[in-house]
Amino acid sequence: MNLWNETKSVSVSKQQVWLAYKKVRSNHGSAGVDQIGMEEFDADRSKHLYKLWNRMASGSYFPPPVKEVEIPKKDGKVRRLGIPTISDRVAQMVVKEYLEPGFEKVFSQHSYGYRPNKNAHQALESVRVNCRKSDWVIDLDIKGYFDNIDHGKLLLAIEKHVSEKWCIMYIKRWLQMPVQRKSGELIPKHGKGTPQGGVISPLLANLFLHYAMDKWLELTHPAVDYVRYADDAILHCRSKQQAEYVLRNLKQRMHDCGLELHPGKTKIVYCKDYRRQENYPTVKFDFLGYSFQPRTTMSKKTGILFLGFDCAISISSKKHIAQKMKDLDIVYLTHKSIVGVAKYLNPYIRAWVYYYGKYRFSALNPVFQLLKRRLIMWARKRYKRYKTSLNRAYDWLERVRVQFPGLFYHWRLGFY
């Protein structure tokens, strides 16, 4: 069957919509303003997808508002996400999948966020390598980046690389789409901002910063190495004077692009180690959940300890995991045995180990000790014989570990 309908004014095929739907479905996600979740959407999937294709292919698709959702941040504030409806996520995925291969040919190799075959661990490794070569770092934070992307400047970048008028038409409609607050109030965009939570937003945000920062840095400061993950960036400089000069210029560049560096979070950092022993007040920065700072390191060749500058899970990330454990309410889990508890918790433990255990795995030990205390509290709540004796509860968990060393994921790795 020919999946293209020649009578349609826009070249969007049923196959494109179907493949986009499968990607959206695999990403899960909650309902938008129409309150239709994935289960309800799937119950009448053919109707929803045909309606979407018919409207997209005729040029008559207009996206509904996005639903505002507040997500707590590590600093106690909230991040406002804009959640599109499932149908709109599929529509955005159609355009994203169509444009992304062309954009990938343009983007810098130093940009890692929300890109195929790029990830946070690669970004972290690049920062580690650069910190060994350069003495100084600019830890960059853009204030309210997604909320302040200038639509006019973004569209100039889009039109430079996109010749398909239908893609530009739909991108303009998504950029103009208002946000619906919990109260039902609709908040217009006023020519700037793209909602975090949208499928196409990271691609557009990467394109904007490609010209606002990446390309600018490469043209005006070619000696400066940098690593960018979405709106988080680390710039590596040879001297304090160079770092101060680059930062001054970058502030002006951001201002010219309608953006602002966060005055309290953007800082210049000295990468102190056994070779670089001058005294400066700031010798630490956080990036992608890891803290880079002077750390005692053992040489792989000689086994001798020395002061290096490296990364490990950050304090704020440990607090985030501790909060997640609290949210999981481990102490009051209703599983009948520790086997059920392990089955429930292992996906979370595996995710923590996979991401935060990449560098200096031993730094996760406080996380595992907290988990151990939670498991002991669960046992004392579950079994009467341990309520009056903490030591007996610890002895019980140790017997379980010896008898079933692979029960919890971190036990298999030698942590308990």
Side-chain angles (χ1 to χ4, degrees):
M1 183 182 72
N2 182 10
L3 294 173
W4 293 82
N5 189 328
E6 299 298 336
T7 65
K8 295 294 184 180
S9 60
V10 174
S11 297
V12 174
S13 72
K14 294 177 182 177
Q15 180 73 0
Q16 284 175 290
V17 173
W18 173 248
L19 293 175
Y21 157 75
K22 290 203 293 185
K23 284 208 166 188
V24 168
R25 194 178 192 282
S26 67
N27 292 334
H28 306 291
S30 58
V33 294
D34 60 0
Q35 300 300 315
I36 296 177
M38 188 58 74
E39 187 174 340
E40 186 178 350
F41 187 93
D42 280 345
D44 208 357
R45 182 177 61 199
S46 297
K47 174 187 170 184
H48 290 302
L49 293 181
Y50 179 82
K51 181 180 177 182
L52 176 64
W53 166 76
N54 192 40
R55 291 186 175 181
M56 285 196 77
S58 64
S60 62
Y61 175 71
F62 286 87
V66 296
K67 182 176 74 173
E68 186 178 79
V69 176
E70 294 183 348
I71 305 296
K73 295 170 69 174
K74 293 178 182 179
D75 59 5
K77 299 179 181 178
V78 296
R79 174 180 286 109
R80 289 185 168 87
L81 301 183
I83 308 299
T85 63
I86 292 174
S87 287
D88 193 46
R89 292 207 289 275
V90 175
Q92 291 188 35
M93 186 67 77
V94 168
V95 177
K96 173 185 175 290
E97 292 293 293
Y98 186 83
L99 295 179
E100 190 169 58
F103 283 13
E104 277 297 304
K105 296 174 183 177
V106 174
F107 289 158
S108 168
Q109 63 176 328
H110 306 294
S111 167
Y112 294 86
Y114 306 110
R115 295 181 61 189
N117 304 315
K118 296 262 191 178
N119 58 50
H121 284 162
Q122 292 171 340
L124 288 161
E125 182 58 31
S126 291
V127 172
R128 293 178 78 229
V129 171
N130 291 340
C131 283
R132 296 187 194 115
K133 297 186 297 182
S134 301
D135 295 353
W136 293 86
V137 152
I138 302 173
D139 178 14
L140 194 68
D141 187 279
I142 302 174
K143 190 174 182 180
Y145 174 58
F146 281 83
D147 295 332
N148 291 293
I149 294 175
D150 184 279
H151 291 178
K153 291 181 174 63
L154 175 60
L155 287 169
L156 286 176
I158 290 168
E159 289 165 359
K160 178 181 174 68
H161 298 287
V162 180
S163 58
E164 295 82 355
K165 292 183 179 179
W166 66 273
C167 288
I168 297 173
M169 174 183 70
Y170 284 132
I171 288 172
K172 285 180 178 178
R173 290 178 185 176
W174 282 313
L175 290 176
Q176 294 163 3
M177 187 168 47
V179 175
Q180 182 174 303
R181 293 269 172 88
K182 286 182 180 179
S183 62
E185 179 188 5
L186 292 177
I187 308 299
K189 291 288 181 57
H190 298 303
K192 66 178 184 178
T194 178
Q196 280 184 276
V199 171
I200 203 167
S201 293
L203 184 65
L204 300 181
N206 266 337
L207 181 65
F208 191 90
L209 267 187
H210 172 75
Y211 285 105
M213 192 183 82
D214 300 358
K215 197 72 176 175
W216 176 83
L217 271 175
E218 291 165 10
L219 289 172
T220 61
H221 300 282
V224 174
D225 292 320
Y226 71 94
V227 175
R228 182 171 68 80
Y229 192 96
D231 58 331
D232 291 327
I234 302 296
L235 280 58
H236 301 269
C237 300
R238 305 290 177 176
S239 66
K240 187 171 185 287
Q241 291 74 21
Q242 184 189 39
E244 290 170 341
Y245 174 71
V246 172
L247 184 54
R248 281 196 304 272
N249 290 347
L250 189 58
K251 285 179 180 178
Q252 184 59 50
R253 174 63 179 176
M254 291 293 103
H255 181 267
D256 294 343
C257 294
L259 300 173
E260 179 187 358
L261 297 184
H262 197 296
K265 296 181 180 179
T266 298
K267 59 182 181 289
I268 294 175
V269 181
Y270 180 58
C271 303
K272 186 173 184 177
D273 63 9
Y274 76 99
R275 295 176 293 114
R276 303 172 287 206
Q277 297 187 2
E278 296 179 48
N279 290 319
Y280 291 97
T282 307
V283 294
K284 171 186 173 182
F285 66 91
D286 286 1
F287 184 58
L288 301 179
Y290 279 77
S291 286
F292 285 78
Q293 64 187 70
R295 297 179 186 276
T296 302
T297 305
M298 180 179 289
S299 170
K300 292 181 180 179
K301 292 182 179 179
T302 64
I304 297 174
L305 294 177
F306 66 94
L307 185 67
F309 191 87
D310 206 353
C311 66
I313 182 174
S314 67
I315 293 174
S316 62
S317 294
K318 290 178 185 177
K319 290 179 179 178
H320 180 71
I321 294 175
Q323 182 59 50
K324 184 62 181 177
M325 287 188 195
K326 185 177 180 180
D327 294 341
L328 290 172
D329 210 11
I330 296 171
V331 179
Y332 294 95
L333 290 177
T334 57
H335 299 85
K336 293 182 179 180
S337 72
I338 192 67
V339 175
V341 173
K343 187 176 180 181
Y344 176 69
L345 292 179
N346 273 338
Y348 298 100
I349 301 171
R350 190 178 291 108
W352 297 332
V353 168
Y354 169 77
Y355 187 76
Y356 294 110
K358 176 70 173 178
Y359 302 106
R360 292 189 175 252
F361 186 36
S362 59
L364 276 172
N365 191 54
V367 171
F368 300 139
Q369 291 303 312
L370 176 60
L371 177 58
K372 183 176 184 178
R373 291 194 291 273
R374 298 273 179 178
L375 293 175
I376 292 297
M377 292 168 67
W378 174 85
R380 298 184 74 192
K381 191 80 177 172
R382 182 74 179 79
Y383 304 114
K384 291 183 179 179
R385 58 185 175 277
Y386 302 131
K387 285 185 178 179
T388 57
S389 176
L390 183 62
N391 289 335
R392 288 176 63 188
Y394 271 98
D395 290 343
W396 165 80
L397 188 61
E398 178 60 16
R399 289 196 303 271
V400 172
R401 187 193 65 79
V402 172
Q403 191 172 359
F404 304 103
L407 185 60
F408 285 93
Y409 184 74
H410 61 296
W411 287 0
R412 304 172 202 172
L413 305 173
F415 283 87
Y416 43 88

